[in-house]
Each structure stands twice: as C-alpha cells, then as structure tokens.
C-alpha cells in the first residue's frame, strides 16, 4: 500500500486507511510503523468511535471524563479521522450502532482535533436516512470557523465534559450526557476578563466572562 500511495498521481495526496481495532496503541503503531505506513496515511479513529457509541447509547450512565484526549485524535490528531458511524457500524448490532442522541457525538468530533468525517446516512434526508443535517451543518460551520489549535480540558466528571480549543478565536465546548439533569458549571478560559461569549448552537443566551476570565 505504501508504494502505491507514494507513486504517480497519489504522491502527496491525503489518504486514510482502516485498521479495525479499538486499541489506540495498536492503531497508532499501524500509522507510524517505519516498516509499514510511516505516517503516510491517516486512520479511522475506532477507539474514539466506540467511546462515542457508549456515550450516546447510555445517557446519564457514561463517564464523560473518558473523552479527555481520547483515541487517536487525543494522542496524535494529525493522523486521526474521527467518525460517528459508517456503513459497517450502522448495520452491525455487534458494533453498537448509535440509536440515541447522535447529535452529541457529532458535537464532539466537529469541535475536537482530528479530521472529522460525516456519515452520509446520518446527513441525508433521503428515504432510509436519519437527516441529522441541520445539526451537522451548524457544527460544520463551528468546525470551519472556530475550532482551531490544541485542546485544553476545562471540566470533566461523570456527566459533563468541557474543553477549550486554544487557536484562532478560541472555542469553548460543554457536553452534558444526562438529558434529565441540566448543569451549570464555572470554568477557567483563555478569553480574558469581561469577554462576551456567544453560543453558536443556539441553546442559551450570550454570557460574559467575569474579571478572572471564567
């Protein structure tokens, strides 16, 4: 495979391969192995996907702290192609298809590091598809305009995970896995004191950081 990716019209082009394993150490080894891919191809981030399936399918009963720098995206985002579902996971009961709150998984991959991939059946409104398009379109805009730079964890417990992307204009993300328990948290940020913050998902009104930038 490596000689093919380095030859003729394929040379220098983006490439992604599938190493089907939930072990992030084995996945990264496949990507960087000097006797194998040598970093030439990215890989679908199955370790992160399996965590996202558990998060969505077990609302209120998943440890959100597990998302902190998880998977290949958390250890080496240059090579991580994150995804929520694909043609295999969506149709295979043994691979835990996501049947609840799929938007929360897209909120994670489209605001986190890595190269997010949207599953056509999730996006499309065609017959037999799930039409998550309105939510995904909004998150794609956030990804393209606000989600830059490294990630700083700002809060994590069993129900809530919050993090800040430190590049560009900065992006503060808060994810709550418990649909029956709204949470209000106060976190440090790098926005500075008295900075106006806008919620681009439309879930709440604008707020302002305090004199400590929280």
């Amino acid at each position: 495979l490596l000689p093919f990716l380095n030859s003729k019209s394929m040379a220098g082009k983006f490439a992604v391969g599938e190493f089907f394993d939930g072990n992030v150490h084995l996945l990264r080894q496949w990507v960087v192995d000097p006797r194998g891919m040598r970093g030439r191809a990215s890989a679908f981030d199955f370790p992160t996907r399996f965590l996202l399936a558990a998060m969505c399918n077990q609302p209120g009963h998943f440890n959100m702290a597990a998302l902190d720098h998880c998977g290949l995206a958390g250890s080496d985002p240059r090579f991580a192609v994150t995804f929520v579902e694909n043609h295999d996971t969506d149709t295979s009961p043994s691979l835990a298809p996501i049947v609840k709150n799929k938007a929360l998984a897209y909120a994670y991959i489209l605001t986190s590091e890595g190269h997010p991939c949207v599953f056509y059946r999730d996006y499309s409104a065609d017959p037999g598809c799930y039409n998550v398009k309105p939510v995904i379109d909004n998150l794609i805009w956030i990804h393209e305009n606000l989600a830059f730079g490294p990630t700083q964890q700002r809060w994590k417990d069993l129900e809530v995970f919050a993090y800040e992307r430190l590049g560009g204009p900065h992006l503060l993300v808060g994810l709550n896995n418990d649909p029956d328990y709204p949470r209000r948290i106060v976190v440090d940020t790098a926005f500075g004191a008295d900075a106006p913050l806008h919620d681009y998902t439309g879930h709440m009104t604008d707020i302002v950081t305090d004199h400590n930038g929280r």
Side-chain angles (χ1 to χ4, degrees):
L1 181 58
L2 184 61
F4 169 72
L5 292 178
N6 288 334
S7 66
K8 299 182 180 180
S9 60
M10 290 303 298
K13 301 294 194 303
F14 175 80
V16 56
E18 181 175 297
F19 183 86
F20 200 120
D21 201 292
N23 185 316
V24 66
H25 302 294
L26 293 178
L27 183 60
R28 189 175 186 280
Q29 180 61 29
W30 180 82
V31 170
V32 302
D33 189 345
R35 297 167 297 178
M37 295 310 299
R38 304 179 192 172
R40 175 61 185 88
S42 296
F44 288 109
D45 192 347
F46 280 94
T48 294
R49 189 269 160 189
F50 290 137
L51 277 177
L52 295 177
M55 173 187 72
C56 293
N57 289 335
Q58 303 173 59
H61 301 282
F62 172 81
N63 183 5
M64 293 293 282
L67 295 178
D68 186 7
H69 288 86
C70 70
L72 185 60
S75 61
D76 205 337
R78 299 171 300 164
F79 300 118
V81 175
T82 52
F83 68 104
V84 170
E85 209 78 286
N86 66 23
H87 60 284
D88 290 322
T89 62
D90 180 56
T91 57
S92 302
S94 63
L95 298 179
I98 297 175
V99 296
K100 300 178 182 178
N101 206 14
K102 191 174 284 184
L104 192 63
Y106 276 108
Y108 181 78
I109 71 166
L110 286 165
T111 58
S112 297
E113 296 177 67
H115 307 281
C117 178
V118 174
F119 181 42
Y120 177 83
R121 194 178 184 192
D122 287 339
Y123 188 76
S124 175
D126 292 346
C129 295
Y130 303 124
N131 192 25
V132 193
K133 182 181 187 298
V135 172
I136 293 174
D137 279 342
N138 175 231
L139 291 166
I140 288 174
W141 186 93
I142 291 171
H143 176 269
E144 294 297 300
N145 292 277
L146 303 174
F148 303 105
T151 302
Q152 173 67 55
Q153 176 265 120
R154 295 300 189 186
W155 182 282
K156 59 181 178 181
D157 60 25
L158 290 176
E159 290 85 26
V160 174
F161 179 46
Y163 52 97
E164 183 176 351
R165 297 293 301 277
L166 300 176
H170 287 222
L171 171 67
L172 184 66
V173 181
L175 303 175
N176 180 5
N177 182 240
D178 192 337
D180 299 319
Y181 184 29
R183 290 280 300 278
R184 183 179 181 88
I185 60 175
V186 178
V187 300
D188 293 326
T189 77
F191 288 103
D194 305 314
L197 302 184
H198 177 69
D199 179 4
Y200 286 91
T201 64
H203 291 303
M204 65 174 293
T205 59
D206 292 358
I207 59 175
V208 178
T209 61
D210 64 18
H211 63 280
N212 290 315
R214 296 176 301 179

